[in-house]
Amino acid sequence: MDFPRPYSLTEIADLIEGKVFVKGTGDVLGMNELHIVRPGDISFVDHPKYFNKALNSDATFVIINKEVEAPAGKGLILHDKPFDAFNRLSLHFRRFKSCNQVISASAEIGEGTIIQPGAFIGNNVTIGKNCLIHANVSIYDNTVIGNNVIIHSNTVIGSDAYYFQKREDGYEKFQSGGRVILDNNVEIGASCSIDRGVSGDTFIGEGTKMDNQCQVGHDTIIGKNCLIGAFAAIAGVTVIEDDVVLWARVAINKDIVVGKGTVLLATSAIDKSVKGGKVLMGAPAIEVRQYWKNYVAMRQLPELLKKIK
Amino acid sequence: MDFPRPYSLTEIADLIEGKVFVKGTGDVLGMNELHIVRPGDISFVDHPKYFNKALNSDATFVIINKEVEAPAGKGLILHDKPFDAFNRLSLHFRRFKSCNQVISASAEIGEGTIIQPGAFIGNNVTIGKNCLIHANVSIYDNTVIGNNVIIHSNTVIGSDAYYFQKREDGYEKFQSGGRVILDNNVEIGASCSIDRGVSGDTFIGEGTKMDNQCQVGHDTIIGKNCLIGAFAAIAGVTVIEDDVVLWARVAINKDIVVGKGTVLLATSAIDKSVKGGKVLMGAPAIEVRQYWKNYVAMRQLPELLKKIK
Amino acid sequence: MDFPRPYSLTEIADLIEGKVFVKGTGDVLGMNELHIVRPGDISFVDHPKYFNKALNSDATFVIINKEVEAPAGKGLILHDKPFDAFNRLSLHFRRFKSCNQVISASAEIGEGTIIQPGAFIGNNVTIGKNCLIHANVSIYDNTVIGNNVIIHSNTVIGSDAYYFQKREDGYEKFQSGGRVILDNNVEIGASCSIDRGVSGDTFIGEGTKMDNQCQVGHDTIIGKNCLIGAFAAIAGVTVIEDDVVLWARVAINKDIVVGKGTVLLATSAIDKSVKGGKVLMGAPAIEVRQYWKNYVAMRQLPELLKKIK
């Protein structure tokens, strides 16, 4: 998430009631989780196991719960609950605002775009030209939609990340301050749900077409000209490169990369990154030829066991 | 379902055009299906196979299609179609009422609760304090929602049980008279659907968090602080105890118990009850270590078959 | 799709800027894709591999990109892009029209039918008597619904076919001009999506009951008195005959036939046609007895491998 203007580290520390103990270089330009930080960002870390990763990441600033030494140029804020502090920043910059209008007055909607009855367009949403938003679609605040985008009925764009931390007395929610961005010529089927990023953006690339009943988790990046079949379960923080084809009911785990041109056949699931250009099947998915070999062998197994006995 | 006041057995018999032939003790306080009856309830039975079960259940009153002897204190109504009679009672006490308002005037909504545009709140719904009901959510009549509950866009709370009896000329619907209850601090993702009970309540316990695209069947009870991943298919009349974690696309059969703290990994399915505290995988799910052992063995099978031949 | 009146072949050629080079017999009565053409229809073909199939189909008229000889009575229009020409026809006869009303003034709604708040009813929709359309349902243009039909909240009827052709620079959409037809006594659960046909109709037969979160693809025909469990993924151009039972989360591939009375157990998938009357399980589904034999054998495999080594 980019801040609306550069902030001094002291200003940020005041917002979260923390203490600057290493000053760092320059201003704070935005905030992000460690896996997507950019120079100028502030991030957070609350476990010694990840201190080194945080301090040596691209983040220029880190909220941390221990006074440690920092690499040259990095700025640190001491806070006893960095997770809570990060949540407070998200809420400060992107707090949920209720909306009394079906189409928020703050939404910008391009020429030639049709919005059908019952579609909700939240605050600060931008929609390009010649889009078609069907009835009863729900678009949360800050969503960005390009030109010639079609969204079918009852689809949800921008719902919160499903992201909780376990506490002794239950789960604490990681506040979502990110957005969803749909590039030009994207088509999203009916009854889908696409979560926004926690601090970054969930992105769907130009020309990608998604069937009905699909789900995309927070901060996931989908490339250009992909085909996403019905009931795709795409977890958060995952990268799906260009020209990937998912047949129906594919499941893709979080935090992995699906290489360019990968084809996942129906009902397949993957929990690890895969290189591009292959046709995969099964759960976990393997090359389709091998899948059918295994399948044929499995069908001979009862006979084999009988013989052996 | 509790009746609005105690009814004499004769009053109930008149409502359904049945005949009291054993008087029983006390008044009829409510109605329920056999699996959830309480003392004071009326239930029904229409097949000799289940007569004993019904007569010896906690139900104080039974609608039955044969003049049989009853245990002491039980009251019986004779009716040639007990299923239809039970449906008539459901319709009498909880008949669907159309609603001309997007938020029914009979709904009670607590302080600090935000209801976004397009969200439908049916008759006699109760929503607690500081809840956030997002755009285009649909909440059926009689739903009860606690405090600090978040429901994401286009989710449906309280749709009818999927419950039909086969007849010669098609299916007859079991009328839903139950409710959905969401306890405090529950969060439900986008595009979910939670059916109400047939005569009882579908219940989701305090602090449980559900991702997008999930389905919960009628009369199912989910405990506290569970995590329910995207696309969970949870059937009716099932009990999920506290602290259960379901990763994405888990399927759970009807009428079973998932023990406290069970973890079901992604794409797993279970059709029998499981004890608590274990990590399970597969369909049907088994302990995860054993699952991977089987998987590794299966991958060696084509080679093995080649050798043997 | 039937045309609103018979058209001469020359009229059709003018609409698509094509050239009649074989005149054919009679008028053009409608348009359809090859797999569902009827006498009097116009269809299209753009690949020499399918020329014979197209010319010998039931279509009386064909849009084609080469001057070929035609069987007696057939009429041909020459066009360098038959796919685009067919799309132009779809758009001419069934172009999407935006709607400013939540219930279109052109919709015909039968006596006793209840439409709950937020339900969108598009242009030229016909709904029979005594139906119940719950809150936030979206019904696209030209849908036809019989009597005593129940549609639960947030379900979508008539979204576009998921049907694209790959081009060098992305995907081109096959325009949907078809409809959805729901026969009498159908019940559709919450959060379902049923796509309309591309040129024909998606049809759900009398008395069929569908649970929540289901998806039905374009031009699929479902018979009478079927039970369709939650999360059914039914692809396009498929036929499901009468009395079929799908338990939860079944996947059915496109362009196949599921025979009368077939039962597919939970989480099963089929990619080929199956004869009726059998109980199947697995992915791909096989007879349930065999499925469990294979399953039991598979569980013995790690032990077997140990012995052999």
Side-chain angles (χ1 to χ4, degrees), chain C residues 190-248:
Chain C
S191 308
C192 295
S193 44
I194 301 179
D195 286 349
R196 57 188 169 137
V198 167
S199 62
D201 297 319
T202 304
F203 181 87
I204 299 190
E206 191 172 343
T208 285
K209 313 294 187 187
M210 187 178 287
D211 201 351
N212 303 336
Q213 304 276 353
C214 294
Q215 142 80 357
V216 179
H218 66 93
D219 294 290
T220 282
I221 308 292
I222 299 181
K224 292 182 188 179
N225 293 323
C226 295
L227 293 180
I228 313 282
F231 290 104
I234 303 174
V237 197
T238 265
V239 175
I240 295 180
E241 295 181 351
D242 297 348
D243 301 317
V244 165
V245 176
L246 310 182
W247 289 79

Side-chain angles (χ1 to χ4, degrees), chain C residues 1-287:
Chain C
M1 190 202 308
D2 294 326
F3 293 156
R5 61 165 176 85
Y7 278 69
S8 75
L9 193 58
T10 312
E11 279 181 291
I12 297 295
D14 287 351
L15 284 173
I16 59 176
E17 297 176 79
K19 187 183 123 194
V20 178
F21 73 96
V22 180
K23 276 206 75 169
T25 308
D27 282 330
V28 192
L29 306 177
M31 63 185 285
N32 269 311
E33 290 177 90
L34 276 185
H35 64 96
I36 49 171
V37 284
R38 310 153 302 177
D41 276 350
I42 190 161
S43 194
F44 79 98
V45 67
D46 56 8
H47 196 290
K49 198 169 142 189
Y50 300 111
F51 281 1
N52 267 330
K53 190 180 169 194
L55 295 170
N56 296 297
S57 73
D58 281 344
T60 311
F61 308 96
V62 178
I63 308 167
I64 192 167
N65 50 358
K66 196 182 167 190
E67 293 201 23
V68 296
E69 280 183 51
K74 303 269 171 168
L76 302 179
I77 294 176
L78 187 70
H79 195 287
D80 60 341
K81 291 182 173 170
F83 178 90
D84 294 357
F86 197 77
N87 265 347
R88 282 171 74 170
L89 278 187
S90 292
L91 290 173
H92 177 82
F93 288 107
R94 289 259 176 86
R95 181 180 293 279
F96 173 78
K97 289 183 204 117
S98 68
C99 188
N100 294 315
Q101 299 140 319
V102 176
I103 299 177
S104 166
S106 62
E108 284 178 41
I109 293 165
E111 213 180 326
T113 286
I114 295 169
I115 297 176
Q116 289 280 88
F120 167 74
I121 316 288
N123 301 303
N124 304 313
V125 168
T126 306
I127 304 181
K129 294 180 186 172
N130 301 317
C131 295
L132 174 48
I133 313 295
H134 280 280
N136 291 322
V137 163
S138 300
I139 301 182
Y140 282 59
D141 296 359
N142 304 307
T143 299
V144 177
I145 295 176
N147 301 318
N148 307 312
V149 169
I150 299 173
I151 303 178
H152 283 281
S153 280
N154 292 67
T155 275
V156 178
I157 309 288
S159 36
D160 290 354
Y162 185 73
Y163 198 163
F164 299 91
Q165 285 222 349
K166 203 171 169 59
R167 298 284 179 255
E168 263 180 41
D169 57 346
Y171 288 93
E172 190 171 359
K173 180 170 178 165
F174 208 170
Q175 298 295 333
S176 293
R179 305 176 297 178
V180 172
I181 300 177
L182 307 180
D183 208 343
N184 298 331
N185 303 313
V186 163
E187 181 160 351
I188 308 289
S191 308
C192 295
S193 44
I194 301 179
D195 286 349
R196 57 188 169 137
V198 167
S199 62
D201 297 319
T202 304
F203 181 87
I204 299 190
E206 191 172 343
T208 285
K209 313 294 187 187
M210 187 178 287
D211 201 351
N212 303 336
Q213 304 276 353
C214 294
Q215 142 80 357
V216 179
H218 66 93
D219 294 290
T220 282
I221 308 292
I222 299 181
K224 292 182 188 179
N225 293 323
C226 295
L227 293 180
I228 313 282
F231 290 104
I234 303 174
V237 197
T238 265
V239 175
I240 295 180
E241 295 181 351
D242 297 348
D243 301 317
V244 165
V245 176
L246 310 182
W247 289 79
R249 188 161 288 153
V250 165
I252 296 180
N253 204 359
K254 63 182 179 177
D255 222 346
I256 65 175
V257 177
V258 181
K260 184 176 156 71
T262 298
V263 177
L264 279 157
L265 297 179
T267 75
S268 295
I270 52 172
D271 58 353
K272 293 193 176 60
S273 293
V274 293
K275 285 188 184 161
K278 287 186 175 154
V279 180
L280 307 173
M281 186 167 181
I286 54 177
E287 286 199 49

Side-chain angles (χ1 to χ4, degrees), chain A residues 118-120 135-139 154, chain B residues 116-120 133-138 152-156, chain C residues 118 136 154:
Chain A
F120 168 74
N136 292 322
V137 162
S138 301
I139 301 181
N154 292 65
Chain B
Q116 289 278 88
F120 168 74
I133 312 296
H134 279 281
N136 292 320
V137 163
S138 300
H152 283 282
S153 280
N154 292 67
T155 273
V156 178
Chain C
N136 291 322
N154 292 67

